[in-house]
Amino acid sequence: KIIGRNGHYMGLMGCWGTFENCERYSAAVNKAAAGLSGVNVYSMVIPTSSEFYVPEDITGFTSSQKEKIDHTAEKLSGVTNVDAYSALKAHTDEYIYTRTDHHWQPLGAYYAAEAFAKTAGVADKFADISQYTKVTKEGYMGSLYNYSKSEKLNSDPEPFTLYISPNDSALKTTYYDSSFGNGKEGNLFVSRDAGAYYLSFLGTDDTIAKIETDCTNGKTLVVMKESYGNGLIPFLTQCFQTIYVCGVRFFDLNDIDFIKEHGI
């Protein structure tokens, strides 16, 4: 659907899903947690923009994501739920989702990362958004135009705002293939002028990234994610000493073995 909002056009994707799929996801995360004695395991299910911005007069286009997210949380066992939904809902009047793409804006990821930091007990290290270097690039036209070919969207590109971590210069990022081989040193921010838009951080989903920071608390984090998870990472580099970022769609290893081997 293409809607008008705040003087601009915005693309929205329908979202349905089933309670059975929620239960399959919860069961999989529960199984991983059961095999990871002494490891804190968290689940964060992130709503898409249609949950908050579908006009009331449009019906039958999407179903309640909150019902599915709550059902997923209820079925978790040995896993701590992170309430990204409430964190995002409190800021829906801000630019937290893109208008032309199915992803969120980094500002939305910031609020979800803050919710995670509080839940994980590392909020004392979490930096306020004002401490980040804010870079805005105009002319963003994302996936929702590619899907819809809407001339309304095409005539109304949007800005994309990147937030570069305060400790960016201290970060060491190494990219590996999906089997954790062939490591090559790179940068967390592959485009510091936001010229790659949502690909400006991490750049892709089909690698494993290891980020070593200047945080000295001894905490290590593994993020098993799809592409929404990429947006979280720049906001967590001051909360963990080491971060591994793994795309679940491309990860070729056993997740439990990987976590054990790297001392998470």
Side-chain angles (χ1 to χ4, degrees), residues 144-183:
L144 294 181
Y145 169 71
N146 293 329
Y147 297 150
S148 69
K149 301 302 180 184
S150 167
E151 284 306 312
K152 291 180 178 178
L153 285 184
N154 191 42
S155 65
D156 191 17
E158 64 184 317
F160 184 90
T161 299
L162 175 68
Y163 294 88
I164 298 176
S165 306
N167 61 341
D168 170 48
S169 62
L171 303 178
K172 178 184 176 182
T173 303
T174 307
Y175 292 95
Y176 301 86
D177 61 28
S178 55
S179 296
F180 203 61
N182 302 307

